[in-house]
Amino acid sequence: RVGRDGVPFTVLKFRTMQADRRAQRVEVQVDRRKTHKSANDPRHTRLGRVIRAVGIDEMPQLVNVLRGEMSIIGPRPELPQVVERYQPWEHARHAVKPGITGLWQIRERGKGQRMHECVDIDLEYVDTISFWTDTKILAATPYHLLLCKGE
């Protein structure tokens, strides 16, 4: 993933999908854009569904925080191939460390919006970053994690 100042790093996560999910052709009954990253995504393993349902798939990223690669709160780190397509103004989200949770997660979780479609929310966070903003995001995260399961 791409971190602060555009520096790439490895995001740690529990594996919740089949290891060869990109190589394997999976037949789905509906448009993939409607099942991708949903609870019904056919690429998830059984254990992966449980890990995602209880919201612990991001917990290994605490190691990324301890390494100084991430923060608890900030814009989610994006894939390099997505960042390559950014417009110049979108790179402003890399002015801060990426986070495990952030403003986008508490505003858009479960609404079907993809991270790259909501760069404006990440930029709003970068522009308004403060202890108070981080406190509100941190306080709201458990609610959104438990009650807004869509993404």
Side-chain angles (χ1 to χ4, degrees):
R1 299 292 175 123
V2 178
R4 186 177 193 176
D5 298 325
V7 176
F9 71 102
T10 300
V11 172
L12 303 175
K13 288 186 80 164
F14 288 126
R15 180 175 298 284
T16 61
M17 293 188 171
Q18 300 160 8
D20 61 348
R21 72 185 189 281
R22 297 202 195 286
Q24 183 181 34
R25 178 117 174 109
V26 177
E27 294 298 324
V28 293
Q29 301 300 319
V30 296
D31 185 347
R32 182 183 174 280
R33 290 169 291 192
K34 294 179 182 177
T35 62
H36 181 69
K37 294 193 119 189
S38 73
N40 298 323
D41 190 323
R43 300 168 300 165
H44 290 154
T45 63
R46 282 188 204 135
L47 180 58
R49 283 187 187 92
V50 173
I51 290 171
R52 291 173 73 93
V54 296
I56 61 170
D57 54 319
E58 310 290 344
M59 293 306 291
Q61 291 170 29
L62 290 173
V63 174
N64 291 112
V65 172
L66 292 174
R67 290 180 182 168
E69 299 161 329
M70 291 180 71
S71 177
I72 298 291
I73 301 163
R76 290 293 299 155
E78 187 59 273
L79 294 166
Q81 57 267 37
V82 173
V83 173
E84 288 174 0
R85 296 189 307 264
Y86 273 11
Q87 298 297 315
W89 62 270
E90 293 175 293
H91 290 281
R93 71 191 301 277
H94 298 123
V96 298
K97 286 182 185 177
I100 296 174
T101 189
L103 190 57
W104 174 75
Q105 286 75 21
I106 64 168
R107 276 204 194 151
E108 297 300 320
R109 184 175 177 89
K111 295 182 183 176
Q113 293 280 39
R114 302 290 182 243
M115 184 167 52
H116 67 275
E117 297 170 332
C118 298
V119 173
D120 56 324
I121 296 172
D122 288 338
L123 296 181
E124 178 185 336
Y125 172 77
V126 170
D127 288 342
T128 61
I129 192 169
S130 70
F131 176 77
W132 179 241
T133 302
D134 285 359
T135 301
K136 289 192 296 188
I137 292 169
L138 192 59
T141 295
Y143 167 80
H144 288 276
L145 181 66
L146 296 172
L147 298 179
C148 304
K149 293 286 187 189
E151 286 288 300

